[in-house]
Amino acid sequence: MKTAAANKKIRSRRTLSKNDRFTLAAFIGIPTLMQIIFLWLPALITIVLSFTYWNGINVGDIKWAGIANYKNIFFGTPVFYEALKNNAIWLLWFTFIATPLGILLAYQIDRKIKGHKLYETVFYIPVVLSLAIIGIIWNFMFQPGGFIQGIMGRDIGNAISIWGNYDINTYVIMGVASWRHIGYIMLLYLAGLKSVDSSLREASAIDGATEWQTFRKIVLPAMRPVNIIIVVITIIESLRAFDLVYIIYGTSTAWPLLNILVFQNFAGQGISMKGAAYAVILLVLCVGPILLYLRAVFKEDLK
Amino acid sequence: MTTIVRDKKYRDKQKRKDNLISIFIGFFALVWIFPILWTVWTSLRPYNDIISYGVFSWPKNLNFDNYFNAFRQMGLTRYFLNTLYVTVPAVLLTLFLGSLIAFVVSRYSFKFNLSLLLLFTAGNMLPIVLTYIPVFWLYIKIGDLFGNRSLLYNNYLGIILVHVAFQVGFATFVLSSYMKTVPKEISESAIVDGASVFRHYWNVMLPLLRPPLAALGVLMSCWIYNDFFWALILMSQDSKRPVTSALRQLQGEYVTDFNLLAAGAVIVAAPTVILFFVLRKQFVSGLTLGSTKG
Amino acid sequence: MSDTEKGISRRSVLKGAAVGGIGLAAGGSLLAGCAKSKVTGDINFTIRGNLSDAGSKIAIAVNDAYTAKSGNKVISQAVNSDDFQNNFVQIMQGTPDDAFGWMAGWRTNARADAGLLADLSDQVAALGSSLSAAAVQGATNPADGKQYIIPTTYYPWGLHYRKSTMTELGLNPESIATWDDLIKLCEATQKKGLVGYALGDKGGWEAMGTFDILNMRLNGYQFHIDLLNGKEQWTDPKVVEVFNYMGQLIPFMNKNVLDISWDGMRDLLLQKKCGAMMMGSWFANDFLAKSQEDYDDLWIVPFPEINPEHGVDSIDAPLDGIAVAANGKNVEGGKELAEFWGSKEGIDAAVAAGDTNIYISSEFDSSSYDAFNNQKLAVLGAAKNIGFFLDRDTRGDFAGPVVGPAIQSFLKNPKDLTKILDNTQAQWDALPAL
């Protein structure tokens, strides 16, 4: 009896009927095909195109360019370095200011201080808003004739420049981006904190450790998997930054970012494959964080 | 004795610190929500008031006129319908396809399982700008193949497919993580009972996936609803655009009447905010499953 | 690409329009007895802008007039102008509307070379002598001698101001004849608390108007066109001088130059917050939409002379018109609609709807021009050479991505001029052959 059942099990596991094989093939094939056609194939096309000269219209016009586009970008386009600088500022700000604030907020809210439910909601709302709406909201705040200008008593004629003032516009943009990012990090961390054994924390408190010490020595190490995720998300969001700046500045590179440069060159009045090259540079920068993420998340499977 | 006294002193001190922290964060929260409050406030005031009396004047009228006008003048109903046509199929298709891969990868041991998972998860993180121009060309070429340029370009189907392609990785990852927690015995008994792969999936696994599917459904609806970029590239007709993309056109139209625009923004923001309030648990669990593993 | 031939022919544009009469016959022939089949079916039209703009209302009025005449329905949609232009190549290859408002120059000719636009030579010929030879020349693609756009309106770029403001300040802009006069005007305006020289360059292109006119004044029209076509160097001391002059204007500009776009500039003038504003006159429709008073208060004078060798002989006067997509669903319908826009009935419909622009067609009776339009003609008439504006006179992958940011960088940091010019030249050298 037992042997027969066991044999049947083994047989079932080893031999799949033709129908089953077909089903499995379909199950795997359809989504994979979709991914390849709509995601990986276009990405590949972009990579190949970055080595050509083309104006985006007639396929017959494509000419091989070798690394000319890249040479142009690295040696002949100062706005590229400005964009890199801005992406770097974005990254640094997110890493050292926005993300830590999110983590801190999460920690405090998790301790169930007074009003924590309300706070959790308030800080998270910007995350569920479309960036198109965030753009409108902040334009209201800053536009000539808007709230901030109004507070300073300036109307449209003598409104001080915000988006065009290079001393302050970076901070303003970072502030608005953080407005959203902090809530996102906060919620991710909150979710992770729930998995930290609370008895560990209580024990540490009884032992006389301050909250800060508890956080550093107990919570942070226990949250290692989440920490890695947070780091990767922070990096990737800084590299992918686009929507907000696009809404404020359009495609003019008044405050350049890598993504804006891609758009300006890949679309627009004069299409050039420099845009593809920018996209590839962006991809190369993202590869590191993506691999880090994959390794962290699939650690056990990879072993 | 002294320990208790020391504990109490410590607890009181901690409580006072906590109250301070709470107030501090509370102030922070007020600053946080202020821009939204300001926008809502702006939307409740008629434009003429602002023109005549200035932005900070005490309100003479507070009404919902701007909201009625927004619906009427901005054609929001049509744009909302467009959003629906795009979001619902995209979410359903993403969840369905994601569950297929997750199912195979976690229930059957093929050599390529891990590679597949890696491929899908990485796909989710690619920068969009890497693909959008070739996607446009592909759509035109595929359309020409079938004799109809509008098969994918300037068509809901095109936007749906591209959203699915970008989101299915995340769905796959979350669902496969979750499926690992489903006991293998359930599957084994189904196989022993002679269930086909399809029955295994449809009748056995799928019902068990309700929690993560719900969570993912909420998250994806929010993300796809909020996207405005793809429609800008892939829809040449403004009347087919989802409501978030339409906002850009409206922003230009009503840039001088910002009270009307504020009302429009509030209306467009409402669905996701309400979704968040009502289904917060699903939201959080979706992110949890996606960010932390097991 | 461009050459003196284009320059000479555009020069005649003024003469023809200013006189208000028939210009030189355009290639002569009326459409030789070609029996055209009746065009049927809906026609899709794209308006660049917002439905609430004055321009859109005018467009819809003209389309309605066409429908009344031909019985074909015209479906108009308004699209954000920047989005339309940024995605133009994609839209034209995809499912474009049949006809749309467009701009003559590189933007038409290059796209025509790529096969995206429909040939409108027949329609231009059908409009016959109402279009002067110069008008036709302006619409012609030098690569194949055909026309791909029906020219309709054009406008000068000049110093705009409000008569009332100037009177209040006790100043007379009509009397500025030299650069020093302009500076004095700006200083006086500034002293009274207004912006002397309004500029908004957030879009990256607005300041090109200032660059163009300074270059044309200092170095002449030929140098300007040659520079835009790579025959002169951006590092040339002549170009440095242009920027030096622009630098002299910076103290008189509003502080938020990089924060506002052209509509912010317009608003500064509308709200009486500035003195002179260097812009194209197309925005006058918005003034009229605000009130007749505001429109009547508007005035324009040519940018003053700087170099006596060139006087005030050149000006930017972009030519706009209607183009037809080669991939539209109803190409013949689009062509017919485009021709209608250029015909007397089309122009009459536009004017009736409140269009204050100057039409290049001689069908438009310039004796009915109001004071402002006559002044525009006078400004145009003073010039011998016409440019279409920097971003229409040179390659699209150079104007927007390179020159725009270069000028913005200069406005940000005038001290970086040498670096900026070196790089601009390097970028031009690195452009792939067309």
Side-chain angles (χ1 to χ4, degrees), chain A residues 8-287:
Chain A
K8 194 160 175 225
K9 255 202 214 168
I10 296 172
R11 231 180 302 139
S12 314
R13 227 178 285 157
R14 293 249 176 96
T15 60
L16 294 165
S17 73
K18 209 156 76 138
N19 263 343
D20 280 349
R21 271 200 285 249
F22 178 72
T23 317
L24 278 175
F27 273 21
I28 299 180
I30 298 179
T32 311
L33 200 65
M34 258 211 87
Q35 277 267 284
I36 294 182
I37 296 182
F38 293 101
L39 203 59
W40 294 103
L41 187 61
L44 202 64
I45 293 178
T46 302
I47 297 177
V48 170
L49 282 176
S50 70
F51 296 104
T52 67
Y53 288 128
W54 193 31
N55 65 357
I57 306 180
N58 294 315
V59 181
D61 286 340
I62 302 183
K63 293 195 208 60
W64 188 251
I67 57 169
N69 287 327
Y70 291 98
K71 278 220 284 243
N72 186 329
I73 291 178
F74 279 102
F75 300 116
T77 314
V79 75
F80 169 61
Y81 291 99
E82 256 189 77
L84 276 183
K85 183 184 79 155
N86 286 338
N87 275 105
I89 293 180
W90 200 291
L91 178 63
L92 288 172
W93 181 283
F94 269 18
T95 308
F96 291 109
I97 302 183
T99 294
L101 276 177
I103 294 180
L104 232 62
L105 266 178
Y107 188 65
Q108 294 300 349
I109 291 181
D110 184 64
R111 288 180 52 228
K112 306 234 188 315
I113 55 172
K114 260 204 277 247
H116 69 272
K117 267 205 153 57
L118 178 66
Y119 296 155
E120 193 181 321
T121 309
V122 163
F123 286 109
Y124 196 66
I125 288 191
V127 186
V128 302
L129 296 178
S130 167
L131 279 152
I133 298 188
I134 294 186
I136 292 183
I137 291 181
W138 284 98
N139 261 334
F140 273 162
M141 296 292 291
F142 284 118
Q143 72 188 6
F147 178 74
I148 303 278
Q149 307 284 357
I151 283 202
M152 298 190 284
R154 294 164 175 274
D155 55 14
I156 189 172
N158 53 9
I160 69 163
S161 181
I162 306 263
W163 306 121
N165 178 337
Y166 286 83
D167 292 327
I168 63 173
N169 65 1
T170 303
Y171 299 112
V172 175
I173 296 176
M174 289 294 100
V176 178
S178 308
W179 191 60
R180 194 164 189 276
H181 184 77
I182 290 181
Y184 186 46
I185 298 287
M186 175 197 78
L187 211 78
L188 285 179
Y189 219 75
L190 256 181
L193 278 173
K194 295 204 201 300
S195 64
V196 172
D197 199 351
S198 52
S199 59
L200 276 174
R201 287 198 269 172
E202 281 163 17
S204 140
I206 292 178
D207 280 348
T210 63
E211 280 295 336
W212 178 241
Q213 285 171 324
T214 312
F215 180 68
R216 256 182 54 214
K217 300 235 166 81
I218 309 274
V219 177
L220 216 50
M223 294 275 285
R224 210 179 124 76
V226 182
N227 292 340
I228 299 188
I229 306 287
I230 301 269
V231 166
V232 171
I233 288 184
T234 302
I235 298 179
I236 298 237
E237 287 301 310
S238 334
L239 290 173
R240 297 215 301 203
F242 172 74
D243 301 50
L244 189 62
V245 180
Y246 178 74
I247 291 190
I248 299 173
Y249 292 102
T251 50
S252 89
T253 44
W255 202 85
L257 281 176
L258 278 176
N259 270 306
I260 302 272
L261 283 176
V262 175
F263 195 74
Q264 192 196 47
N265 283 280
F266 221 3
Q269 286 294 344
I271 297 186
S272 87
M273 293 300 110
K274 259 173 83 170
Y278 281 123
V280 172
I281 294 175
L282 191 60
L283 176 65
V284 166
L285 288 173
C286 283
V287 164

Side-chain angles (χ1 to χ4, degrees), chain C residues 374-392:
Chain C
N374 276 324
Q375 178 64 5
K376 278 195 263 183
L377 279 178
V379 170
L380 286 165
K384 285 197 334 263
N385 306 305
I386 307 188
F388 275 174
F389 198 74
L390 194 148
D391 64 6
R392 304 185 192 189

